[in-house]
Amino acid sequence: MLPLSSLPRSLLPALADLHMAIMPTLLADLGSEVVLRYFENAAGNNLVIAFVATDDRQPTEILGYVLGSPDPSALYSKLRQPLGWFLGQVLKIVLRRPTILIQLAHSVLSSPPANQMQPGQLELTYIGVHPSARGKGVGGQLIHTFAEAARRAGYTSLVLSVETDNPAAIALYEKVGFVIRETFQEGAYHRHRMACSLAQTNP
Ligand SMILES: CC(C)(COP(=O)(O)OP(=O)(O)OC[C@H]1O[C@@H](n2cnc3c(N)ncnc32)[C@H](O)[C@@H]1OP(=O)(O)O)[C@@H](O)C(=O)NCCC(=O)NCCS
């Protein structure tokens, strides 16, 4: 398990590809160049806590990743710089899928109160495991490594949003000690906001 900041830059495209393949949210809808830029920005941001699990026998194979921040919206805002580049990416996607404009407008104009961060909180923004590596404890290891790093960095709780129709992720989160605090609609997504005190993370 490597911190994202130590992952060789040459592996960032593979990480972005894995994200695109398994995380069907607005970020992935914006296309591979935007997703790659997101991970490049995250790797250079010292507020981000993120780890990548690689295969011991083939260290260039990415098995899974976890990424979080106390200010997740800053990572999305940074994608808009330089603005010309970002608008070009959006235009490419809009020409292929005009309905994405509705989702984009929703995400820019509305920020559900459930997503607002409190002092001492770290958001677990993304966690994902390659389909061929699931059910073997990789997700559990990633989340424990993430929680331990968050505790060491002085955070008191973790928060996250998860689609209500994602039983595998919800079971993983509940096993670690997350509880559902709120259920809400965010654009096209029906989500739970879950929280976990770092004093009570289950081993
Ligand atoms: C959710 C995810 C990260 C779990 O990764 P994983 O490596 O398969 O998880 P683990 O093998 O470490 O399992 C840990 C625990 O999670 C729960 N869990 C994992 N997969 C599950 C499934 N398919 N059904 C029910 N519970 C499941 C179990 O409680 C499991 O503990 P157990 O094995 O003792 O029963 C993985 O399924 C994934 O990448 N899903 C797609 C991306 C995603 O939805 N991410 C979350 C977005 S919010």
Side-chain angles (χ1 to χ4, degrees):
M1 188 98 42
L2 280 176
L4 174 63
S5 55
S6 306
L7 188 75
R9 289 291 174 273
S10 57
L11 293 186
L12 283 177
L15 177 56
D17 286 349
L18 177 61
H19 180 92
M20 296 274 294
I22 66 175
M23 207 70 71
T25 57
L26 181 58
L27 178 63
D29 286 344
L30 289 172
S32 56
E33 288 178 53
V34 176
V35 174
L36 178 58
R37 182 70 64 94
Y38 178 90
F39 283 103
E40 285 168 350
N41 289 342
N45 182 324
N46 55 17
L47 283 180
V48 167
I49 294 184
F51 294 91
V52 178
T54 52
D55 188 329
D56 288 340
R57 287 157 303 169
Q58 285 177 286
T60 55
E61 292 293 312
I62 294 178
L63 301 182
Y65 64 103
V66 61
L67 183 154
S69 154
D71 188 7
S73 58
L75 283 174
Y76 299 121
S77 310
K78 192 139 191 263
L79 287 175
R80 293 186 215 125
Q81 301 158 11
L83 191 59
W85 172 83
F86 180 71
L87 293 177
Q89 299 300 319
V90 171
L91 187 63
K92 273 198 283 184
I93 305 297
V94 167
L95 289 175
R96 282 209 302 267
R97 255 185 59 204
T99 51
I100 199 170
L101 271 180
I102 299 168
Q103 268 179 272
L104 266 177
H106 223 288
S107 85
V108 172
L109 298 175
S110 77
S111 168
N115 286 352
Q116 277 162 22
M117 301 294 293
Q118 304 300 324
Q121 287 185 337
L122 182 76
E123 183 184 85
L124 189 168
T125 309
Y126 295 116
I127 182 168
V129 173
H130 191 284
S132 67
R134 288 185 193 160
K136 299 175 185 167
V138 177
Q141 277 173 27
L142 283 164
I143 206 165
H144 282 294
T145 305
F146 180 82
E148 190 45 41
R151 192 183 290 111
R152 272 191 274 111
Y155 293 100
T156 51
S157 64
L158 300 178
V159 289
L160 58 82
S161 297
V162 56
E163 263 89 278
T164 54
D165 61 356
N166 191 344
I170 294 168
L172 168 66
Y173 301 145
E174 286 180 334
K175 191 174 176 198
V176 176
F178 279 87
V179 291
I180 296 171
R181 291 270 190 252
E182 232 176 294
T183 302
F184 62 102
Q185 194 72 27
E186 185 173 14
Y189 305 105
H190 195 235
R191 290 181 164 146
H192 294 308
R193 190 70 171 169
M194 301 184 80
C196 169
S197 163
L198 284 171
Q200 293 163 6
T201 312
N202 297 333

